[in-house]
Amino acid sequence: MSAATWARQRAGQLARFGAVGITGVVVNLAVFNLLRAGPLAPGAEVAGDDDRVVTAKVIATLVSIAFAWWAHRGWTFRGGSRHRPAREVVLFGAVNAVALALEAAVVAISHHGLGLTSLLADNVASIIGIGVGTIARYAGYAVFVFEDDPAAREAARAAEGPEAGAQR
């Protein structure tokens, strides 16, 4: 099967995957900024003096990962969960951990291995890392976390009604 055929067959799923990803970034930034303006603001007395920004980032990232799992399970890969929700969350977390390691590795190789230490080089490496991580996430979700069952996909389409099938 050619890459074009593969992409055409999964166009809707890929579009939903991208929409959830973009929304996840918005959720992450919103939670981060709400925490930084509220309970983890510079003048707040929560979480000590030094790590409020890191604490806010960790909390925001965990919230966005939880959102992404919920959205991917219910929308991107709907109709085909293969595991119980608790196990699925663990697998989802494992796939995200691998993707995060890949993203960090790209930046580390560029910055430390190749000596490309400018802000521009770090940002380019970060964007490349995000791309590599995104590919790993999609593959991991499709292979390990959510079932890509054609029969389940057809059942989900049938449940949407005849007009949904005509739009695909």
Side-chain angles (χ1 to χ4, degrees):
M1 170 182 329
S2 73
T5 301
W6 180 89
R8 270 194 305 278
Q9 289 176 345
R10 289 165 182 79
Q13 187 179 63
L14 289 167
R16 290 188 301 271
F17 180 81
V20 169
I22 290 167
T23 306
V25 170
V26 171
V27 167
N28 190 311
L29 292 172
V31 171
F32 176 74
N33 284 294
L34 287 171
L35 290 170
R36 291 293 291 139
L40 298 177
E45 295 185 17
V46 178
D49 292 335
D50 296 332
D51 68 348
R52 283 190 200 108
V53 70
V54 174
T55 301
K57 186 60 189 168
V58 168
I59 292 168
T61 299
L62 291 173
V63 169
S64 70
I65 287 172
F67 163 78
W69 173 75
W70 173 79
H72 285 312
R73 186 172 208 270
W75 190 44
T76 306
F77 297 97
R78 77 174 168 265
S81 63
R82 85 171 65 166
H83 308 287
R84 291 189 183 117
R87 179 177 167 92
E88 203 170 80
V89 166
V90 170
L91 290 170
F92 191 84
V95 167
N96 275 288
V98 169
L100 176 61
L102 289 169
E103 289 180 34
V106 170
V107 173
I109 290 167
S110 171
H111 191 90
H112 299 293
L114 300 176
L116 303 172
T117 59
S118 72
L119 182 61
L120 176 62
D122 286 345
N123 277 288
V124 168
S126 182
I127 290 168
I128 292 169
I130 288 169
V132 170
T134 298
I135 292 167
R137 280 183 184 93
Y138 181 80
Y141 297 163
V143 172
F144 298 112
V145 182
F146 304 106
E147 185 176 352
D148 188 19
D149 180 7
R153 205 172 31 237
E154 288 304 316
R157 283 185 187 149
E160 290 176 352
E163 63 280 349
Q167 294 174 2
R168 292 186 198 272

